[in-house]
Amino acid sequence: MARHSGTPTDEGTRFSALSGVVVVLLGIAVAVVGVAALMSMQAADDARDEANAASTPPAAGQTLAGPDHATDHNTALPLASFAGVVPENAAQLAEAHKPYDATLPPVPAGDLAKVQMTLRDMVVEIAPGVKYSTWAFDGHGAPGPVVHVRQGQTVEMTLKNGGAIPHSIDFHAARIAPNVAFRDVAPGESFTFRFVAGDPGVFMYHCGTKPVLAHIANGMYGAIVVEPKAGLPPVDNEYVLVASEWYLNGDGIAKPASLDMGKARSMTPDWTTFNGYANQYVTHPLTADPGDTTRLWVVAAGPTLDTNFHVVGTIFDRAWVNGDMTQFQRGVQTVAVPAGGAAAFDVKIDDPGLYPFVSHAFAHVDLGQVGLLKVGNPKGTMSH
Ligand SMILES: [Cu+2]
């Protein structure tokens, strides 16, 4: 930054005193010196003003003009991606991360299944060292808790809003007037409604408050499994996987990121995940014994993108496509699970090994929607 040799007032005083003594003797010469001094003062002032302008951010609503400055409303700018941006110690952080428990919880006894969730605004990690400010069902981060009931049970849902703005909960497993049951719950309030889980399957639940895109993108989603009354073929392990994507307005490393609505609208996520955290079941695999049949309940929460579910190294023995529990397909390799939809899969695996489960739309794998089913206790790693 340019600096004055003195303040404008000092400079002016000195000039006046000097000119008073020598004006008669030097006449024009002094006038030339004086003009030069004034010009240099003016140049220094201009330089200072320019430096100040460059270092001062524009006021709200004001834009910087000129070819070297982008305006703050230039929607033609490309969206900055933070895909794969993690701190240097990401590997240790991934190890230290406690994975979301994918195990299907048991069905509660009796005819009434009481579910209580308190919505909280909280910061969670969505990838190693990557923090995000979520709106979280039941203080879980994303997804919310898995609800597991039996067909015919009544679900009594109580949503308490501990957050800063209104929220709601929409169960895809319910046949109910949404304007009544899925209504907005104001901050500090609690709301209870009931529905009969009459249709078996696996369903999404989510906040339905407008704009729904923002509420789902901020982590307000989860899975409900409605076990058919007649039961299903017995299996050895059951896991729930909720696929979703995250749209970040920063890398989330130095400070938590929050939603970039422009990216959410243009469907360009920074991370895609199973159960809310990139690659968590690569570092902490789901497990099975050789010969086990494992059931995977998969929900695609979106908010917008589908999941093309595939398990590498095997073929689905049973695939309840679209969560239709009245029939299953056999010998299927990949099943599209639409955003807002779900499906269930059985895989019987005899050979010990590491079996990746992925969205086979491989950009999803690159962004973190991949995990491992570890069968037996094999050595080595799997590159997916
Ligand atoms: Cu909400």
Side-chain angles (χ1 to χ4, degrees):
M1 185 195 243
R3 288 188 63 90
H4 286 282
S5 55
T7 66
T9 309
D10 293 341
E11 201 77 20
T13 306
R14 233 178 285 146
F15 170 68
S16 299
L18 182 67
S19 62
V21 173
V22 299
V23 71
V24 177
L25 298 173
L26 298 174
I28 291 168
V30 166
V32 169
V33 170
V35 167
L38 284 170
M39 284 174 70
S40 102
M41 267 170 52
Q42 188 58 49
D45 271 345
D46 289 350
R48 184 190 55 185
D49 291 347
E50 257 179 55
N52 284 345
S55 62
T56 306
Q62 183 190 343
T63 57
L64 293 168
D68 295 336
H69 298 295
T71 61
D72 60 3
H73 57 248
N74 186 352
T75 53
L77 281 174
L79 297 163
S81 174
F82 303 105
V85 178
V86 290
E88 269 179 28
N89 60 340
Q92 292 104 292
L93 294 170
E95 283 290 341
H97 168 69
K98 187 177 179 294
Y100 182 100
D101 186 359
T103 309
L104 180 70
V107 171
D111 294 331
L112 184 66
K114 289 189 177 182
V115 182
Q116 300 197 347
M117 295 186 204
T118 300
L119 182 284
R120 294 190 196 289
D121 301 337
M122 63 186 292
V123 173
V124 298
E125 283 209 357
I126 61 163
V130 177
K131 292 175 282 295
Y132 187 94
S133 298
T134 55
W135 299 331
F137 280 127
D138 205 34
H140 252 247
V146 174
V147 180
H148 187 195
V149 298
R150 185 169 295 106
Q151 183 186 9
Q153 278 184 318
T154 295
V155 177
E156 183 184 279
M157 175 68 215
T158 300
L159 176 63
K160 190 176 176 203
N161 188 352
I165 62 168
H167 295 287
S168 56
I169 189 162
D170 168 341
F171 275 93
H172 289 193
R175 295 176 186 263
I176 197 167
N179 59 311
V180 178
F182 306 157
R183 73 166 177 84
D184 283 358
V185 182
E189 284 189 0
S190 179
F191 177 65
T192 301
F193 65 96
R194 290 182 173 197
F195 67 91
V196 175
D199 297 76
V202 50
F203 302 89
M204 181 182 178
Y205 68 78
H206 64 90
C207 179
T209 300
K210 290 175 184 169
V212 181
L213 174 60
H215 285 251
I216 296 177
N218 272 339
M220 299 196 71
Y221 48 79
I224 173 171
V225 172
V226 183
E227 199 87 23
K229 200 177 278 181
L232 290 171
V235 291
D236 303 289
N237 321 291
E238 293 191 73
Y239 297 115
V240 180
L241 299 170
V242 180
S244 65
E245 67 265 12
W246 297 94
Y247 303 92
L248 276 57
N249 70 347
D251 62 18
I253 295 171
K255 60 172 186 168
S258 52
L259 176 63
D260 185 322
M261 197 63 169
K263 283 188 194 175
R265 289 190 182 114
S266 61
M267 299 175 277
T268 51
D270 298 287
W271 296 97
T272 59
T273 56
F274 284 121
N275 292 344
Y277 186 100
N279 307 314
Q280 62 184 324
Y281 304 116
V282 174
T283 320
H284 306 278
L286 305 182
T287 57
D289 289 327
D292 275 3
T293 297
T294 298
R295 182 164 296 149
L296 299 164
W297 300 90
V298 179
V299 170
T304 301
L305 302 179
D306 303 341
T307 289
N308 299 276
F309 196 69
H310 173 78
V311 180
V312 181
T314 191
I315 294 165
F316 297 133
D317 295 289
R318 303 183 190 97
W320 288 273
V321 178
N322 284 322
D324 173 6
M325 305 311 289
T326 65
Q327 56 189 324
F328 57 79
Q329 297 180 7
R330 302 165 194 268
V332 174
Q333 60 189 304
T334 300
V335 169
V337 184
F345 306 94
D346 282 0
V347 285
K348 182 180 186 301
I349 300 176
D350 297 324
D351 290 345
L354 298 170
Y355 294 77
F357 51 88
V358 300
S359 172
H360 214 285
F362 255 82
H364 281 294
V365 175
D366 206 57
L367 297 176
Q369 202 171 88
V370 51
L372 292 174
L373 179 62
K374 184 178 178 179
V375 178
N377 196 19
K379 299 268 185 282
T381 56
M382 177 68 219
S383 62
H384 284 76

